[in-house]
Amino acid sequence: MRARSMRHFRATLAIGSALLLAGTPVGAASPQVAAKPVKWSPAAAVDLAAFNKDLVAGKPTMDVAIYVPSNFDPAFNKLSLDRMVDGVRSAKEIYGRVGVQINLVSAKTGAIDPRFLAIQSNEIPRLPDTEYLNSYEASQRYPTAMTDMAKAAFESIVEPARDNARTIYLVALQDVIYPFLELSQGRNWTVKMVRTGGLSFPSYSYHTTIPQRLRGVITITNLSTPNRLRRTIAHELGHKVMNVSHEYKTTGPAFEVFAEGGLMLYGAGEDIPAGVDGRWHLERLLMSPYIYKLDARGKKLWNPDYKEGGHYYDPIYGEKSVKFPGRTSMDPNW
Ligand SMILES: [Zn+2]
């Protein structure tokens, strides 16, 4: 309650000053003010050469970079640099089973703008999903809108580089809050906000709203349990590189699916299935624009890029996508 009234007070203040100045709100509370680029330093404790020593040229590979703020609030203890690296090591094992390598290109620490330790990932959706489109078709028509706050945070965090749009950036933060719509009763929806443990900003959902340079960003906010430490990074990578939601074999995509078997469900599963029965997960992974193979001279031969921003049915996937009807739990006689 105390926190809420403080926040309300601050919001009122911000509106007050905006009115007084009749223009851009100023001060630390405004996410619109561009933040300075973070001064990152390589984490001395992480031996990249040792981590990557088993990589083989010619095999499908993804480049992953880690950013861990050095200025977390003292009470925050949900992850650490070590846990981030351990999570990538688990992912390396899980993807290694299907022949895909993870190249850890950097692990860096530095002080970020404290405004960005907690961010809202996307705007409140304007339209709920109904039965006339499946969730991927709905996202294709109405992509999830990344907030200006999230864009400003990642602009300051992700260092400009040639391969920005082909690199996965695992960004550790304290809180990433995701608003969504949920059917409440009858023909009414309610807005909810979920505190995420990891959020992948997947192309099937954000395809046109995420700046190209930042499209590889994944936020990680909780690696504090054995299951999260083992699976969260691998699972979030899956959203990015398979470009699918929570689905597995006969389980259609949904916001949260608690079941066993697949890496892309909420459970303990680590399977990356193949073929039509596996909803083409492995095939989509191998087609991902985040995947390359090194040629004999050490040059990265990247997979073709998305043709339509990377929605689920992007033409790069050809037949490797599933057509299925939309659904609703609403009474059909509403
Ligand atoms: Zn997920």
Side-chain angles (χ1 to χ4, degrees):
M1 266 331 228
R2 192 189 171 88
R4 184 186 290 178
S5 47
M6 261 312 283
R7 205 168 296 154
H8 178 249
F9 173 67
R10 257 188 252 138
T12 314
L13 244 186
I15 292 163
S17 39
L19 285 174
L20 278 175
L21 296 168
T24 323
V26 289
S30 168
Q32 265 57 280
V33 178
K36 290 197 186 93
V38 178
K39 292 196 178 76
W40 295 106
S41 307
V46 181
D47 184 344
L48 296 175
F51 191 97
N52 296 324
K53 68 175 188 303
D54 54 349
L55 295 187
V56 177
K59 284 177 74 172
T61 307
M62 63 178 114
D63 280 352
V64 173
I66 295 175
Y67 287 127
V68 181
S70 56
N71 57 329
F72 284 135
D73 289 315
F76 177 73
N77 60 1
K78 295 293 184 200
L79 55 75
S80 61
L81 173 67
D82 283 353
R83 287 189 157 248
M84 291 287 283
V85 174
D86 283 352
V88 178
R89 194 172 285 115
S90 298
K92 179 179 166 121
E93 193 186 311
I94 290 167
Y95 286 88
R97 283 186 216 133
V98 291
V100 173
Q101 308 184 116
I102 292 180
N103 178 32
L104 184 58
V105 290
S106 62
K108 296 183 178 179
T109 61
I112 71 166
D113 187 320
R115 287 179 297 164
F116 301 141
L117 289 171
I119 59 169
Q120 180 181 331
S121 56
N122 53 285
E123 302 294 349
I124 294 169
R126 295 182 180 192
L127 291 168
D129 286 356
T130 63
E131 68 274 33
Y132 306 131
L133 297 176
N134 74 39
S135 56
Y136 293 133
E137 292 164 335
S139 293
Q140 182 176 347
R141 196 176 290 175
Y142 309 107
T144 304
M146 193 183 220
T147 59
D148 288 345
M149 184 187 205
K151 279 181 204 166
F154 302 139
E155 281 292 355
S156 74
I157 288 171
V158 176
E159 301 157 286
R162 190 191 55 188
D163 288 340
N164 272 155
R166 300 286 195 158
T167 305
I168 309 277
Y169 295 98
L170 299 175
V171 178
L173 293 176
Q174 287 182 190
D175 265 319
V176 176
I177 306 296
Y178 181 98
F180 64 100
L181 302 177
E182 189 176 84
L183 189 63
S184 55
Q185 59 171 64
R187 53 185 171 129
N188 299 278
W189 282 269
T190 185
V191 177
K192 283 192 171 183
M193 288 193 155
V194 60
R195 182 182 210 182
T196 64
L199 185 66
S200 64
F201 298 88
S203 288
Y204 65 79
S205 184
Y206 290 81
H207 50 106
T208 53
T209 74
I210 193 162
Q212 180 83 349
R213 185 179 95 74
L214 305 175
R215 70 179 185 177
V217 163
I218 293 175
T219 53
I220 302 295
T221 34
N222 187 350
L223 298 177
S224 66
T225 66
N227 182 282
R228 287 181 183 277
L229 183 60
R230 173 71 189 169
R231 282 187 11 117
T232 295
I233 288 178
H235 172 94
E236 298 306 331
L237 283 170
H239 284 307
K240 207 67 136 183
V241 295
M242 295 180 228
N243 204 10
V244 298
S245 181
H246 301 126
E247 52 164 60
Y248 180 63
K249 294 188 175 174
T250 55
T251 307
F255 187 62
E256 287 178 318
V257 178
F258 292 90
E260 297 305 329
L263 178 62
M264 298 319 294
L265 300 176
Y266 287 1
E270 299 182 352
D271 186 30
I272 298 175
V276 63
D277 294 339
R279 303 181 80 92
W280 307 113
H281 285 192
L282 178 58
E283 290 81 2
R284 292 173 67 91
L285 165 63
L286 295 174
M287 289 172 162
S288 170
Y290 295 99
I291 300 273
Y292 64 88
K293 291 175 184 167
L294 277 187
D295 73 7
R297 289 171 302 166
K299 188 175 169 350
K300 290 174 184 174
L301 304 176
W302 292 100
N303 279 341
D305 205 351
Y306 298 127
K307 289 191 165 70
E308 294 178 2
H311 60 79
Y312 175 81
Y313 297 105
D314 192 286
I316 67 160
Y317 296 116
E319 298 303 304
K320 306 294 190 288
S321 54
V322 183
K323 302 278 193 301
F324 57 100
R327 266 186 330 179
T328 179
S329 46
M330 193 180 286
D331 177 353
N333 301 314
W334 62 268

